[in-house]
């Protein structure tokens, strides 16, 4: 795919469409949009534009399509797979002005929002009306809901509430050729031809630009309880996960954390926590609902399972502040790891009963290739984030040999029935591993779909495949 | 699209692939496969084949693809939109030998089944292990799970548990060109390129033949309660629906039934029921869970809402037998209507708060065009099945004028934020209405996707668009 540069004439047209104030070419501005949260990667766009309306997005895409200019859409830049990196330069479409909650429809338990709304801002607005939008990635305080849709995001509550797929009813999308469509209907069911809403979710900005999102909400549970369980081995912790479900309880969160992750959070964030020397790993377990007796009974069942799996201690969060602190321990783990070392993060996912095998295998692969890893994540979903730490690795090992180790991790993941990414997406940094999971036939189906939507390949080129 | 006939040479090759015993060309056999449950439509295939393995399906599709033979896949033939009708003749692929439950994996709460397994057979097998597969269309006793996937099926419990989309993790699919792929992974999350699993769901057999299905299961609730509420007006009943959710209760079923539907069931199925003269419509409301106190409290909240909406009587099902009887009332409604008159069924769906407007509008359109209708369905999802009865209509009105009335129903549905079908699919009989909902641009995206999967257009031609 060859692209053209944005020449002075095209730049002027961009300014006419979006307004001069919304177009940026300064080195400082370009720097801000040259990276997301993926490793230490930087790619510079040629021009940054911040449109405000679907019509402006449409005009911009038409212009780019006619002139074969690459366009990279960007939400809040919190992605972990490099999906928002403008690897071909060109036009960076920053969606931050699409930051309005357009409607919260209490009669239908639906809302219509723009893609640049911060996830937590929307969650809070829904909560004020007694409603729950349960899709809360660790970055909920800064990430945009549009980016969440584009990555098929998850978060801790997927285990009970499902992924973002189950909450997106309809999308307004600007196609790369400039047409504006709604992908579905504002209904809980849709059996009316191919489901383009579901196709857009997780397509990482390669098929169209999302400009409005219709979201399903649910009544907000009035109560929750939170437990932190300690284990002497990772395998005990991982094997308890599947057993909790077999006991008939569906927690609203079930998170795994390795000791080292907790240590780094304590160091980085000054969270005080009594970390016992014998503890190897933790499960953070939340149940929610409207009835305290039911929640206590759930906690009792969970406790029984934990005991059977050699849990050494269960800490019951007695106050809102304590809950907040335990969640902060989990949520700041990614940032803490990042602040300690250059790292690479893999987003492995397997059927949940395969977690002990996955953990054991990852550590063995680490020993073979000489890398350290910190693992944590959404164990209830079988979704383990593997943070590989550069630490004392040589640059040569880091840049050249490590990829063979990562390849082995993915081969293991796939052999256990899993896939390359549960919620972070493929983006730039995982695309080289796609052939491990997908045949050429399968990849060609994806490429064919891409071509139907984006015949000139201008939208987020260099991602996924 | 022009197709070839199956000549003697091709017929012999079909017999070699599937075995002579699995190939049928007798008029009687062709008759059996010439219709589904859609109106009184008949289209004859040239040859019926009943393959047993994905490899046989693959060889059959390669043969058909090379020779430009149309192929119509068929589950149990319970469809209501004509999706299984072989409108171009050719080869009918009857999937009934794919009737094995391959695994119920209690550790992961997953199962792997073949597409020809009867939905209720699978539900019962899961229930024996304390697990719930909640997707139960009215035809659950005879329909196949493969057909359910292909239609994006729903049923009464969608309102709490979601549609089939939320339960299908991975699909083994034979492409029209003969390759066999798995669309996803056996995981609860998947952010690894375009989601072909979700694209296959609801694609009505036009993109590939499903040969294995990996399903998510949940712990089966131990208790449920069932209420039947009577109303003097349809609008009171419909407006109570949305209010129940606003009261913070998510029922496990919330069904609407018009008086006439109940009358016809009583007549056709000899169900005895004390039908009061003043009653116009009913809501059948189920709650489920593991704690009796919570269910009682839910029922109390529901009762309050029902009173506010002028409910005249609430019948609480006191025994399993009474629950069974009430559910039979609802589930046999389609068959009862069908046994009374030639009919057409529309599967309208709107945001649930728009139900009163939809009901009122449908009756007004009926008055304008001179048709009677019986309405019932999954009111909790805003999904109303509209059965239009021929009764005393002239053949000319039925065959020529009625379609304008149906068009108006769909125009109303769409204007209320809804779509053409919630769970029955588009198939043959709704495809003429697709342009009401979708622009040519949108339809071309769907056609483009079809061409990526099926370049020669052999698979289920004449459906959706």
């Amino acid at each position: 795919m060859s692209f053209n540069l944005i020449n002075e004439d095209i730049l002027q047209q961009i300014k006419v469409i979006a307004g001069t104030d919304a177009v940026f070419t300064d080195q400082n501005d370009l720097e801000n949009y040259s990276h997301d949260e993926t490793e230490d990667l930087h790619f510079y766009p040629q021009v940054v534009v911040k449109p405000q309306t679907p019509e402006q997005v449409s005009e911009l895409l038409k212009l780019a399509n006619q002139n074969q200019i690459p366009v990279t859409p960007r939400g809040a830049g919190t992605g972990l797979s490099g999906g928002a990196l403008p690897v071909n330069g060109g036009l960076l479409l920053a969606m931050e002005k699409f930051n309005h909650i357009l409607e919260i429809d209490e009669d239908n338990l639906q809302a219509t929002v723009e893609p640049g709304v911060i996830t937590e801002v929307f969650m809070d607005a829904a909560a004020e009306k007694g409603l729950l939008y349960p899709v809360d990635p660790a970055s909920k305080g800064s990430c945009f809901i549009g980016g969440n849709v584009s990555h098929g995001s998850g978060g801790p509550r997927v285990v009970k509430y499902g992924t973002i797929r189950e909450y997106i009813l309809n999308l307004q999308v600007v196609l790369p050729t400039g047409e504006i469509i709604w992908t579905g209907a504002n209904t809980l069911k849709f059996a009316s031809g191919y489901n383009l809403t579901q196709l857009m979710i997780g397509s990482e900005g390669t098929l169209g630009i999302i400009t409005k999102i219709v979201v399903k909400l649910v009544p907000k549970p009035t109560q929750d309880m939170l437990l932190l369980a300690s284990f002497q081995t990772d395998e005990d912790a991982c094997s308890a996960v599947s057993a909790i479900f077999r006991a008939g309880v569906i927690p609203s969160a079930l998170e795994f954390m390795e000791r080292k992750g907790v240590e780094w959070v304590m160091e980085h964030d000054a969270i005080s926590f009594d970390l016992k020397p014998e503890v190897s790993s933790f499960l953070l377990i939340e149940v929610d609902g409207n009835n305290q007796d039911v929640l206590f009974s759930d906690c009792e069942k969970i406790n029984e399972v934990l005991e059977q799996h050699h849990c050494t201690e269960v800490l019951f969060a007695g106050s809102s502040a304590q809950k907040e602190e335990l969640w902060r321990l989990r949520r700041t783990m990614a940032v803490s790891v990042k602040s300690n070392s250059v790292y690479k993060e893999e987003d492995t996912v397997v059927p949940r009963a395969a977690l002990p095998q996955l953990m054991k295998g990852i550590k063995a692969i680490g020993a073979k290739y000489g890398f350290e890893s910190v693992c944590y994540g959404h164990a209830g979903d079988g979704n383990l984030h593997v943070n590989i730490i550069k630490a004392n690795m040589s640059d040569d090992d880091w840049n050249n040999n490590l990829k063979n180790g990562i390849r082995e991790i993915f081969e293991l993941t796939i052999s256990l029935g899993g896939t390359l990414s549960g919620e972070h997406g493929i983006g730039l940094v995982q695309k080289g591993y796609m052939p491990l999971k997908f045949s050429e036939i399968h990849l060609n189906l994806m490429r064919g779909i891409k071509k139907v939507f984006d015949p000139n390949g201008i939208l987020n080129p260099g991602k996924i495949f």
Side-chain angles (χ1 to χ4, degrees), chain A:
Chain A
M1 195 71 68
S2 81
F3 295 107
N4 293 322
L5 289 171
I6 299 170
N7 60 30
E8 193 52 41
D9 174 48
I10 295 172
L11 182 61
Q12 286 313 313
Q13 293 184 61
I14 292 171
K15 288 179 178 174
V16 169
I17 293 168
T20 306
D21 294 356
V23 181
F24 304 86
T25 53
D26 263 23
Q27 194 54 26
N28 268 350
D29 294 314
L30 300 185
E31 159 68 25
N32 288 339
Y33 292 89
S34 70
H35 57 88
D36 57 11
E37 295 293 321
T38 311
E39 304 172 20
D40 49 351
L41 300 174
H42 282 72
F43 294 88
Y44 288 79
Q46 202 189 340
V47 174
V48 172
V49 63
K50 301 180 183 176
Q52 294 200 62
T53 68
E55 291 70 26
Q56 287 178 352
V57 173
S58 166
E59 291 304 312
L60 290 167
L61 290 189
K62 277 184 204 161
L63 181 68
N65 195 44
Q66 280 156 11
N67 292 283
Q68 196 68 19
I69 307 288
V71 177
T72 305
R74 179 185 173 98
T78 57
L80 294 165
S81 60
L85 298 174
V87 292
N88 292 81
L91 188 63
L92 189 132
L93 208 64
M95 297 298 286
E96 58 209 55
K97 289 185 179 169
F98 282 82
N99 61 351
H100 302 94
I101 297 173
L102 301 174
E103 188 192 12
I104 295 183
D105 173 354
E106 293 179 74
D107 284 338
N108 286 304
L109 305 195
Q110 294 181 5
T112 305
V113 302
E114 290 186 325
V117 172
I118 291 174
T119 303
E120 192 167 40
V121 169
F122 174 55
M123 293 181 77
D124 290 347
E128 269 182 35
K129 297 183 186 293
L131 299 174
L132 175 69
Y133 172 69
V135 186
D136 60 342
S139 58
K140 66 178 178 179
S142 54
C143 64
F144 290 172
I145 189 167
N148 298 167
V149 174
S150 296
H151 284 81
S153 290
R157 297 198 166 81
V158 168
V159 65
K160 175 170 177 178
Y161 291 100
T163 72
I164 197 165
R165 289 197 177 277
E166 303 178 21
Y167 294 88
I168 304 303
L169 301 178
N170 202 359
L171 296 168
Q172 187 189 55
V173 171
V174 184
L175 300 175
T177 41
E179 296 90 354
I180 303 176
I181 65 168
W182 280 95
T183 55
N186 295 2
T187 53
L188 297 168
K189 289 169 160 178
F190 180 88
S192 309
Y194 304 154
N195 196 312
L196 302 190
T197 310
Q198 289 294 328
L199 185 61
M200 283 301 300
I201 299 170
S203 66
E204 305 189 24
T206 63
L207 299 180
I209 305 293
I210 296 165
T211 45
K212 286 193 186 73
I213 304 170
V214 180
V215 174
K216 168 181 138 179
L217 300 167
V218 293
K220 191 171 157 56
T222 52
Q223 300 179 53
D224 58 62
M225 294 181 186
L226 188 65
L227 307 174
L228 184 74
S230 307
F231 296 84
Q232 287 188 355
T233 73
D234 298 343
E235 278 153 296
D236 276 341
C238 286
S239 65
V241 169
S242 183
I244 288 171
F245 294 88
R246 291 210 308 276
V249 180
I250 302 185
S252 53
L254 209 177
E255 300 284 303
F256 172 86
M257 298 182 288
E258 223 186 328
R259 178 189 182 92
K260 190 179 293 291
V262 174
E263 282 172 355
W264 285 15
V265 171
M266 288 169 69
E267 198 176 307
H268 179 258
D269 291 288
I271 292 185
S272 69
F273 180 75
D274 178 20
L275 185 58
K276 305 269 166 63
E278 73 278 10
V279 172
S280 156
S281 52
F282 298 92
L283 292 180
L284 184 65
I285 309 168
E286 186 192 78
V287 289
D288 73 3
N290 297 319
N291 183 294
Q292 205 171 37
D293 294 341
V294 173
L295 297 191
F296 273 124
S297 148
D298 282 350
C299 286
E300 271 170 32
K301 283 185 207 163
I302 290 170
N303 259 323
E304 274 172 41
V305 172
L306 294 174
E307 269 176 36
Q308 285 156 17
H309 289 81
H310 318 114
C311 167
T312 55
E313 190 181 4
V314 179
L315 178 71
F316 184 92
S319 66
S320 295
Q322 208 176 358
K323 284 178 194 169
E324 195 57 44
E325 194 73 353
L326 288 179
W327 270 117
R328 196 155 73 86
L329 193 69
R330 167 64 189 88
R331 287 194 189 280
T332 53
M333 201 156 281
V335 181
S336 302
V337 170
K338 190 159 188 166
S339 73
N340 262 275
S341 169
V342 172
Y343 81 116
K344 287 181 194 284
E345 180 164 351
E346 312 307 332
D347 177 36
T348 60
V349 60
V350 294
R352 70 168 79 94
L355 266 183
Q357 280 168 276
L358 180 64
M359 269 298 288
K360 202 173 158 185
I362 287 168
K363 296 301 176 184
I365 294 166
K368 176 174 167 190
Y369 287 90
F371 64 78
E372 253 190 287
S373 64
V374 180
C375 296
Y376 56 85
H378 316 300
D381 313 320
N383 186 195
L384 196 70
H385 302 321
V386 184
N387 284 258
I388 299 171
I389 311 301
K390 185 162 185 294
N392 302 323
M393 271 179 102
S394 72
D395 286 353
D396 182 47
D397 276 352
W398 182 254
N399 293 320
N400 301 313
N401 298 337
L402 178 59
K403 58 170 95 69
N404 297 320
I406 295 175
R407 180 176 298 269
E408 281 200 33
I409 290 177
F410 284 133
E411 283 168 350
L412 172 65
T413 306
I414 292 164
S415 75
L416 294 171
T419 186
L420 303 174
S421 173
E423 55 179 28
H424 293 175
I426 297 303
L428 177 67
V429 296
Q430 314 301 1
K431 74 172 179 168
Y433 303 106
M434 285 287 274
L436 294 179
K437 170 69 186 157
F438 301 107
S439 66
E440 194 60 18
I441 292 290
H442 198 133
L443 290 172
N444 278 338
L445 292 176
M446 293 193 198
R447 291 185 191 113
I449 291 168
K450 164 73 173 172
K451 210 168 171 64
V452 168
F453 281 72
D454 184 13
N456 295 335
I458 61 157
L459 205 51
N460 213 3
K463 307 299 165 58
I464 305 182
F465 27 65

